[in-house]
Amino acid sequence: MTYCLGIVNCFGIVIAADSRTNAGVDYISAYKKLFDFSVPGERVLLICSSGNLSMTQGVITELRRDIQNHEEVNLHNLSSMYDIARYIGHKSRQIQDRDRQWLERDNIDFQCNFLLGGQVKGEEPQLYLIYPQGNFIQATKETPFLQIGETKYGKPILDRTITYDTPLEAVAKCALLSIDSTMKSNISVGPPINLVMYKADSLVVRHTLELRLGDPYLAKMRKLWEDFVRQAFEAMPNIEWQRETEASVEDILID
Amino acid sequence: MTYCLGIVNCFGIVIAADSRTNAGVDYISAYKKLFDFSVPGERVLLICSSGNLSMTQGVITELRRDIQNHEEVNLHNLSSMYDIARYIGHKSRQIQDRDRQWLERDNIDFQCNFLLGGQVKGEEPQLYLIYPQGNFIQATKETPFLQIGETKYGKPILDRTITYDTPLEAVAKCALLSIDSTMKSNISVGPPINLVMYKADSLVVRHTLELRLGDPYLAKMRKLWEDFVRQAFEAMPNIEWQRETEASVEDILID
């Protein structure tokens, strides 16, 4: 399994991914799922992947090769984030189509999803989710985050916290907490965690972080969060129960 | 969809359920999913259901009828929680088997799950999850909660909070928050919320609550929780980024 999330707002973009890949529960390994294709000063391009590893690796390899071979269309010469999302979708379709019939007949899930976050000079920062079918959606002011992989455990914290004007450092902490919640609830999501914070219009990636298993920051964050949660419960007003009776147990006992 | 959860610990049991039932997204209605079969002073039996509504209603109706008809085996004369879980599993198998072939051939999901929480006089309080296949598991000291339905959104808060010695009022607040998180992230889970708190060895249900849409307690709880979450982010130590450079954007710009 995998969990990747991206958040875009007026201050920039935060994008994060876990690194655990599993084939069943008895074959677990670590693969980086966050890739930086930026050209400093010109464009920032961050890509996360989830799904069948042979497919996602194929897509990333071909994206890289198209740049190296100076293909007519590649990540570095397309002029808008929209066109880049289309190009990745097209590439993903091609790669999946190549192997589809061999995997499908053995009931192997061949699908893969991508997050694309970044900014091309002259545009606003943008965030896209590219579906296995190659079509895609864009994050908006109303819903500034997108997730792929094991999305549910980490969504409530985003739903309650992230808005279009949440400061970027708080967004980054929230992204870490969202991943930590997912790791705690689903063992198939795991470290190292890769995190990038991109400040709008800087056109360069300055804030990156890799948190390995047992990282002291992660441990500190988890402890602090759990203390806060406990305090919150204590601070919550008592429940006003509907049928509180004054009778003692003995009055009610039948025998 | 549905979300029900039960928690058992040294102080007793908390059990809670939403009331939303949907057939697709365009037919949504409310059905109570928490049923009280207690005999005060003798046994407390709380049952929650999820899954195909025609199946769960069938099971609940037959459980009720077996009591009314004084059947040889019913919820009120079985002598242990374990036997009661087996009986519900058996009943669930029967009901599903009756309709299975008609639903299966039209690809309609006929499965249903149950939570059973309570205490039979002479035993400890116990909590069971009964699977669609009729087999079941019991909550333990290590994992004192069980969930059915849309379980993922509400699990992180339980994972971080609930232990075998968490005070029962805090457990009840946590259960509400777990349901509220799920409602916020999945529109197919919704009010009224039914909540029961049962104090171990009292053998009577004294604390029940039904929270309807827009209930002021729910609104207060949600507001307080979101304020706490924001405070927690502010209190969290700043992230120590790995490649923080002192260079200004202008130094790095290519053109």
Side-chain angles (χ1 to χ4, degrees), chain B residues 197-217:
Chain B
M197 182 174 85
Y198 166 67
K199 288 187 183 168
D201 303 327
S202 66
L203 292 172
V204 63
V205 171
R206 282 229 185 76
H207 299 87
T208 68
L209 185 62
E210 185 174 82
L211 294 175
R212 306 197 150 266
L213 186 65
D215 184 279
Y217 183 82

Side-chain angles (χ1 to χ4, degrees), chain A residues 93-220:
Chain A
R93 284 172 179 161
Q94 276 186 326
I95 303 276
Q96 288 177 81
D97 256 15
R98 223 157 51 184
D99 293 332
R100 183 178 183 125
Q101 68 174 107
W102 279 266
L103 279 77
E104 207 164 41
R105 70 181 181 188
D106 286 334
N107 291 316
I108 296 169
D109 188 358
F110 57 86
Q111 297 201 319
C112 51
N113 290 278
F114 295 90
L115 287 182
L116 163 69
Q119 182 174 21
V120 168
K121 201 177 177 181
E123 290 191 331
E124 297 287 299
Q126 291 169 38
L127 176 68
Y128 292 88
L129 189 168
I130 299 147
Y131 292 111
Q133 293 72 27
N135 59 328
F136 51 87
I137 58 169
Q138 189 183 349
T140 63
K141 230 172 165 165
E142 297 74 33
T143 304
F145 64 86
L146 292 169
Q147 308 166 287
I148 55 175
E150 175 59 281
T151 59
K152 291 190 178 185
Y153 297 118
K155 186 167 178 278
I157 186 77
L158 302 174
D159 279 329
R160 294 196 194 265
T161 316
I162 299 294
T163 65
Y164 195 67
D165 51 10
T166 307
L168 217 50
E169 279 276 353
V171 171
K173 290 175 193 174
C174 180
L176 282 182
L177 205 53
S178 176
I179 291 199
D180 188 57
S181 293
T182 309
M183 290 197 304
K184 199 163 162 131
S185 291
N186 183 340
I187 201 170
S188 76
V189 173
I193 297 172
N194 289 102
L195 179 73
V196 174
M197 181 174 84
Y198 167 67
K199 288 188 182 165
D201 303 328
S202 67
L203 292 172
V204 63
V205 171
R206 282 229 186 75
H207 299 86
T208 68
L209 186 63
E210 186 174 82
L211 294 175
R212 306 198 151 266
L213 185 67
D215 185 279
Y217 182 83
L218 216 54
K220 221 190 300 178

Side-chain angles (χ1 to χ4, degrees), chain A residues 52-89:
Chain A
N52 184 298
L53 183 66
S54 71
M55 298 299 144
T56 59
Q57 284 190 341
V59 172
I60 296 296
T61 301
E62 296 220 1
L63 293 177
R64 205 173 273 142
R65 200 167 61 177
D66 283 359
I67 296 170
Q68 282 158 356
N69 293 349
H70 304 285
E71 294 290 342
E72 202 176 335
V73 174
N74 69 55
L75 286 177
H76 287 177
N77 61 20
L78 284 161
S79 61
S80 73
M81 289 295 287
Y82 176 82
D83 288 323
I84 291 170
R86 278 192 65 192
Y87 162 66
I88 297 171

Side-chain angles (χ1 to χ4, degrees), chain A residues 40 121 150 152-153 159-160 173 181 185 206-208 210 217 236-237 242-244 247 254-255, chain B residues 40 121 150 152-153 159-160 173 181 185 206-208 210 217 236-237 241-244 247 254-255:
Chain A
K121 201 177 177 181
E150 175 59 281
K152 291 190 178 185
Y153 297 118
D159 279 329
R160 294 196 194 265
K173 290 175 193 174
S181 293
S185 291
R206 282 229 186 75
H207 299 86
T208 68
E210 186 174 82
Y217 182 83
M236 256 177 218
Q242 273 158 349
R243 288 189 285 150
E244 183 83 58
I254 280 173
D255 53 349
Chain B
K121 201 176 177 182
E150 175 60 282
K152 291 191 177 183
Y153 296 118
D159 279 330
R160 293 195 194 266
K173 291 176 192 173
S181 294
S185 292
R206 282 229 185 76
H207 299 87
T208 68
E210 185 174 82
Y217 183 82
M236 256 176 218
W241 299 97
Q242 273 159 350
R243 287 190 284 151
E244 183 82 55
I254 280 172
D255 53 347

